[in-house]
Amino acid sequence: MQVSSLNEVKIYSLSAGRSLPEWLSDRKKRALQKKDVDIRRRIELIQDFEMPTVSTKIKVSRDGQYIMAVGTYKPRVRCFDTYQLSQKFERCLDSEVVTFEILSDDYSKIVFLQCGRFVEFHSQHGHYYRTRIPKFGRDFSYHYPSCDLYFVGASSEVYRLNLEQGRFLNSLQTEASESNVCDINPVHFLFAMGTAEGKVECWDPRTRNRVGLLDCALSSVTADTEIEGLPSISALKFDGALNMAVGTSTGQVLLYDLRSSSPLIVKDHHYGLPIKSIQFQHQLDLIISADSRIIKMWNKDTGKIFTSMEPEHDINDVCLYPNSGMLMTANEAPKMNIYYIPVLGPAPKWCSFLDNLTEELEENPESTVYDDYKFVTRKDLENLGLAHLIGSSLLRAYMHGFFMDIRLYHKAKMMANPFAYEEYRREKIRQKIEETRAQRVQLKKLPKVNKELALKLIEEEGEEQQISKKRKQKNLPSLLKDDRFKVMFENPDFQVDEQSEEFRLLNPLVSKISEKRKRKLKILEELEAQGQEEEEEPEGKASDAESSESSDDEKGWVEEVRKQRKLLRQEEKLKRQERLKEDQQTLLKPQFFEIKEGEEFRSFKDSAKKQKLMKKTLEDRLKLEEKLGTLNVSDTTVGSKQATFKLKKSEQQRKQQEAEKLHRQERKSLRRSASQLKSRRGRGRLFH
């Protein structure tokens, strides 16, 4: 039995532990129980409460005596008698069961809806009758007043089969393309069905008319939920006369009052998996909703989580034993899980011993932390000479070792190792070695790129650590360990060029400092080549010599800058002389220029002007265009700038515009006014 606690609610898993194989004989099972402690301590509430491979559905009869489950493989149904705590019978079927319903108070009348569109009826003795529906079915409900079975599935019709007359009746025509689930209210027998479009249609079986329509897909989408695709209805359950819970394929549970079209509360599982089952617990006003991964119990008024369970395997169905705190699940595993939650209610009558067992566990909880105990392994006991105590009350078995009293451990250790001189000597030698290692050069792998820069950073880091220890400050993060500058020591494009002019002028003392670093680099490269771990640093100078050297460096930095400038000038002179020699050796050759189409060659001066203009900045070019009148910049009312450009015209366009201008002037000079021509009779007519 495994105990877990969430929100101070204890959950006892009664099916935890190893199960014995079916093919073992009773004699071998008894022998295993004697040898194996885990098998001896496990609780087998119902004998062989499992399926060969997978269990899909599980239900309890109305009298509470029988638990029925269906599963594979091969497709079968198993009935367990709770009074005998064992299996009553097992029947194999032709095809897998989608769902089933127990019509009687016991197991004498059962209806199975199978995958191949078959509806199979079983009585107390076994198979009774088999029929077929026109389309593949997904769920069905039994209407007790009229003895009608309502089948929904991959069709827009709801098929009705009357068990009293033994024939199909007129089907109900719905607006849905497909239906997934259905349920009938136990008080006023309202029939409700959940569609693939995310709607719930309610029908009155007396008049066979639709009386209501709920759009649950629209109500399930809130500001906090993220869904992919249209939510369809995957679970449906009535509670009393007015309440109804709806589960969607995207993991939301909606609680409705039938008098309102908007949900009272929307609960999201946050897994995005279809809701498989919904149950109501009336003693604490809880709703038990389950998807394939988790079972959640939450208050139906506030939506606050009461507790939750996450089994090891995926869940197919959940069944709450009536008027008790027992919960059973059908899983994607051979074993069907049984949970007992004392807060939900008492244990059923047939296993009332669970109450006494859980009360004893709560009164005497096992302590998992041992402050006054020492954990030792079997090897430690052999070294101490206490192996003969295994199995006695002085040792308590735990995991791969034992717990023993700390006082007994100290006494045994003192007797087994008096004074422990060898251990003391080894510890002192180790401490001395660590002290000498601190004065040596630590072998550190340098990067392939910018090795000297990395060595410089390592030296600076060591100096900063010493300063921070003295001042008791926190160490800053190293540049070598920072991922932002990782590329600088990996990509060759970031290699520092020490021969460049900028580097030599900015770092006048780099020559002296780099010599020391180059020595260290050579030492490190030799150590890496030889594969040694450590190498002693060559004897350095005394502290006073180092201080005098640093002061000399500070005094002569100006001379170093002058030397670097002289070297740079000499290098520039050499480069110029080399260029002159190359120019003298090369013969002058005529150059040819290609003219683009539509352009006329005027002179080389125009191209020179264009090149000069292109070399100027954008600001200078804009000022020049403003002077020439091709650009006009003005302020707008909004506060921004508005610029208008006049494009340059080609020679042909300019000639055409001048010709048009001359033509207009000629027409103006030849035009004569007709204002002196007037009619005798009046204003309107100019001619007779």
Side-chain angles (χ1 to χ4, degrees):
M1 184 169 63
Q2 187 178 358
V3 185
S4 61
S5 178
L6 183 67
N7 291 344
E8 298 181 356
V9 178
K10 287 198 173 181
I11 302 167
Y12 297 89
S13 178
L14 305 177
S15 55
R18 291 189 297 172
S19 58
L20 295 173
E22 294 181 358
W23 44 268
L24 282 179
S25 61
D26 294 338
R27 186 176 179 180
K28 288 186 177 180
K29 286 181 181 178
R30 286 194 298 270
L32 276 174
Q33 287 177 355
K34 289 179 182 178
K35 293 178 182 178
D36 199 331
V37 180
D38 293 336
I39 294 174
R40 189 166 64 248
R41 289 181 179 177
R42 72 193 175 104
I43 296 175
E44 193 173 15
L45 195 62
I46 299 173
Q47 189 178 0
D48 298 331
F49 192 67
E50 56 187 19
M51 280 286 170
T53 309
V54 173
S55 54
T56 54
K57 291 285 181 181
I58 184 168
K59 292 182 186 294
V60 180
S61 61
R62 282 200 293 274
D63 59 4
Q65 184 178 353
Y66 302 101
I67 300 171
M68 302 198 70
V70 295
T72 56
Y73 178 80
K74 301 176 180 179
R76 66 190 68 201
V77 56
R78 284 182 176 177
C79 179
F80 300 93
D81 191 346
T82 56
Y83 292 174
Q84 302 297 326
L85 297 178
S86 61
Q87 181 177 311
K88 187 170 184 64
F89 65 83
E90 178 185 12
R91 297 172 188 170
C92 289
L93 306 169
D94 293 337
S95 59
E96 294 182 11
V97 176
V98 178
T99 185
F100 72 99
E101 189 74 35
I102 304 171
L103 302 183
S104 59
D105 292 341
D106 54 4
Y107 67 92
S108 57
K109 293 178 183 178
I110 315 168
V111 183
F112 298 98
L113 176 62
Q114 298 176 350
C115 285
R117 298 191 286 123
F118 286 104
V119 181
E120 196 168 311
F121 298 87
H122 282 226
S123 62
Q124 193 169 2
H125 63 82
H127 178 269
Y128 179 76
Y129 184 73
R130 192 182 192 192
T131 185
R132 207 170 188 184
I133 56 177
K135 299 285 185 180
F136 289 96
R138 295 176 183 171
D139 198 9
F140 73 93
S141 294
Y142 181 61
H143 187 249
Y144 284 94
S146 62
C147 299
D148 288 346
L149 285 174
Y150 288 79
F151 296 93
V152 297
S155 173
S156 61
E157 296 180 336
V158 179
Y159 303 110
R160 296 192 301 145
L161 176 62
N162 188 271
L163 301 184
E164 185 181 6
Q165 301 177 22
R167 66 187 181 92
F168 281 98
L169 304 178
N170 292 333
S171 59
L172 305 178
Q173 186 65 41
T174 66
E175 294 180 356
S177 59
E178 293 179 352
S179 303
N180 296 329
V181 289
C182 64
D183 194 22
I184 293 178
N185 193 291
V187 180
H188 47 69
F189 303 105
L190 181 71
F191 173 72
M193 51 175 285
T195 66
E197 288 82 9
K199 297 179 180 179
V200 175
E201 295 188 14
C202 297
W203 292 71
D204 189 352
R206 298 170 297 179
T207 59
R208 298 186 296 280
N209 293 326
R210 194 179 73 184
V211 294
L213 181 66
L214 286 174
D215 192 353
C216 300
L218 188 62
S219 302
S220 66
V221 181
T222 59
D224 300 332
T225 57
E226 294 182 3
I227 58 169
E228 294 180 1
L230 181 68
S232 60
I233 309 300
S234 60
L236 187 67
K237 187 72 175 178
F238 279 104
D239 178 36
L242 297 175
N243 291 332
M244 178 181 67
V246 179
T248 64
S249 61
T250 53
Q252 289 86 29
V253 181
L254 297 87
L255 182 64
Y256 281 94
D257 189 316
L258 294 178
R259 295 167 293 185
S260 174
S261 60
S262 58
L264 299 174
I265 193 168
V266 179
K267 189 68 178 176
D268 196 347
H269 273 220
H270 298 290
Y271 280 108
L273 300 171
I275 303 297
K276 294 287 186 76
S277 173
I278 300 175
Q279 304 287 336
F280 288 91
Q281 212 278 340
H282 298 96
Q283 281 81 5
L284 299 176
D285 291 333
L286 298 177
I287 294 178
I288 304 171
S289 56
D291 55 24
S292 60
R293 187 177 295 179
I294 192 170
I295 302 170
K296 286 192 176 183
M297 302 181 190
W298 45 281
N299 191 286
K300 68 178 183 180
D301 297 324
T302 61
K304 186 179 179 181
I305 285 289
F306 180 72
T307 188
S308 62
M309 294 177 289
E310 291 191 47
E312 186 179 354
H313 304 282
D314 289 349
I315 303 166
N316 289 327
D317 193 20
V318 177
C319 177
L320 181 66
Y321 197 91
N323 303 318
S324 74
M326 183 172 286
L327 196 73
M328 293 170 285
T329 63
N331 315 300
E332 290 287 325
K335 188 180 288 187
M336 292 179 283
N337 292 334
I338 302 175
Y339 298 96
Y340 176 51
I341 308 170
V343 181
L344 297 183
K349 293 180 181 178
W350 49 272
C351 58
S352 57
F353 60 88
L354 287 175
D355 288 328
N356 300 329
L357 185 63
T358 53
E359 284 175 6
E360 288 177 6
L361 289 172
E362 288 178 1
E363 288 175 3
N364 302 317
E366 290 187 3
S367 56
T368 56
V369 179
Y370 301 91
D371 295 329
D372 299 329
Y373 285 81
K374 173 71 176 177
F375 180 79
V376 289
T377 60
R378 191 179 290 271
K379 190 176 180 181
D380 295 336
L381 289 173
E382 290 174 358
N383 294 334
L384 294 171
L386 300 177
H388 63 280
L389 295 178
I390 296 173
S392 65
S393 58
L394 296 174
L395 296 178
R396 184 167 184 172
Y398 184 77
M399 293 176 68
H400 63 285
F402 306 90
F403 275 109
M404 66 183 299
D405 197 302
I406 191 70
R407 294 171 294 177
L408 177 62
Y409 173 77
H410 285 314
K411 285 181 181 179
K413 193 173 182 183
M414 289 292 291
M415 292 175 67
N417 291 326
F419 189 64
Y421 177 73
E422 289 294 329
E423 293 181 6
Y424 174 78
R425 184 169 171 273
R426 287 172 192 166
E427 185 66 23
K428 281 291 180 183
I429 291 169
R430 190 184 63 81
Q431 289 177 4
K432 287 287 184 184
I433 292 170
E434 290 294 332
E435 289 175 2
T436 54
R437 280 178 181 173
Q439 298 174 359
R440 299 177 181 178
V441 173
Q442 299 289 331
L443 179 63
K444 296 180 181 179
K445 290 185 178 179
L446 295 174
K448 296 179 180 179
V449 182
N450 290 327
K451 288 186 179 181
E452 294 186 5
L453 178 61
L455 189 61
K456 177 186 173 184
L457 293 171
I458 290 168
E459 289 176 358
E460 290 177 355
E461 186 181 354
E463 293 172 1
E464 287 176 1
Q465 286 179 358
Q466 292 177 1
I467 293 166
S468 60
K469 283 180 182 178
K470 291 178 182 178
R471 296 181 181 178
K472 296 181 181 180
Q473 295 177 351
K474 290 184 178 180
N475 294 328
L476 295 173
S478 176
L479 194 69
L480 293 167
K481 298 176 183 177
D482 199 336
D483 292 336
R484 296 175 296 175
F485 303 98
K486 189 178 180 182
V487 188
M488 193 168 68
F489 300 101
E490 293 178 355
N491 194 345
D493 296 336
F494 291 94
Q495 178 68 45
V496 176
D497 186 9
E498 295 183 0
Q499 301 300 324
S500 63
E501 182 179 349
E502 294 82 3
F503 183 83
R504 287 164 69 179
L505 289 175
L506 290 172
N507 300 277
L509 300 174
V510 74
S511 58
K512 291 186 178 181
I513 299 169
S514 61
E515 286 177 3
K516 296 178 183 178
R517 290 204 189 106
K518 282 176 182 177
R519 289 175 191 169
K520 289 186 179 181
L521 277 174
K522 284 180 181 178
I523 293 167
L524 292 172
E525 286 174 0
E526 288 174 2
L527 291 176
E528 287 178 1
Q530 293 173 5
Q532 296 176 358
E533 291 183 357
E534 296 173 353
E535 182 72 21
E536 292 188 0
E537 186 182 2
E539 291 181 2
K541 299 178 182 178
S543 60
D544 55 351
E546 288 178 359
S547 61
S548 62
E549 185 183 349
S550 62
S551 62
D552 292 339
D553 290 341
E554 289 174 0
K555 289 176 183 177
W557 73 274
V558 179
E559 295 178 1
E560 190 67 30
V561 172
R562 289 173 182 171
K563 287 180 183 179
Q564 291 293 334
R565 283 182 179 172
K566 286 179 181 179
L567 289 172
L568 288 171
R569 287 170 187 169
Q570 290 176 3
E571 288 176 2
E572 285 179 3
K573 284 181 180 180
L574 290 171
K575 287 179 182 178
R576 286 173 189 169
Q577 290 175 3
E578 288 176 359
R579 285 174 190 168
L580 287 171
K581 288 179 181 179
E582 288 177 0
D583 293 339
Q584 288 174 1
Q585 289 175 2
T586 55
L587 297 172
L588 295 174
K589 295 180 180 179
Q591 294 183 356
F592 297 94
F593 297 93
E594 186 178 354
I595 301 172
K596 294 181 180 179
E597 294 182 1
E599 292 186 359
E600 294 181 1
F601 176 74
R602 295 177 183 175
S603 64
F604 288 103
K605 292 182 181 180
D606 293 340
S607 60
K609 285 181 181 178
K610 286 182 180 179
Q611 287 178 0
K612 286 181 182 179
L613 187 64
M614 292 303 293
K615 287 180 181 178
K616 289 184 179 180
T617 60
L618 179 62
E619 184 181 1
D620 296 337
R621 278 185 275 170
L622 292 174
K623 287 179 181 179
L624 183 62
E625 288 178 358
E626 283 182 6
K627 288 179 182 179
L628 296 173
T630 56
L631 175 66
N632 183 21
V633 181
S634 60
D635 294 332
T636 60
T637 56
V638 185
S640 59
K641 293 281 187 181
Q642 181 178 357
T644 56
F645 295 88
K646 291 182 181 179
L647 299 176
K648 291 183 179 180
K649 297 175 182 177
S650 63
E651 188 69 23
Q652 189 176 358
Q653 290 177 344
R654 190 174 57 77
K655 287 180 179 179
Q656 188 176 355
Q657 286 182 357
E658 288 179 357
E660 289 176 358
K661 190 176 180 181
L662 289 171
H663 179 67
R664 284 195 294 272
Q665 289 176 358
E666 288 178 1
R667 292 298 298 258
K668 266 186 181 180
S669 61
L670 294 172
R671 191 179 66 182
R672 292 179 297 172
S673 176
S675 58
Q676 70 275 9
L677 299 176
K678 292 182 181 179
S679 62
R680 293 178 182 177
R681 293 184 181 179
R683 307 170 190 171
R685 296 176 64 186
L686 298 175
F687 302 99
H688 296 288

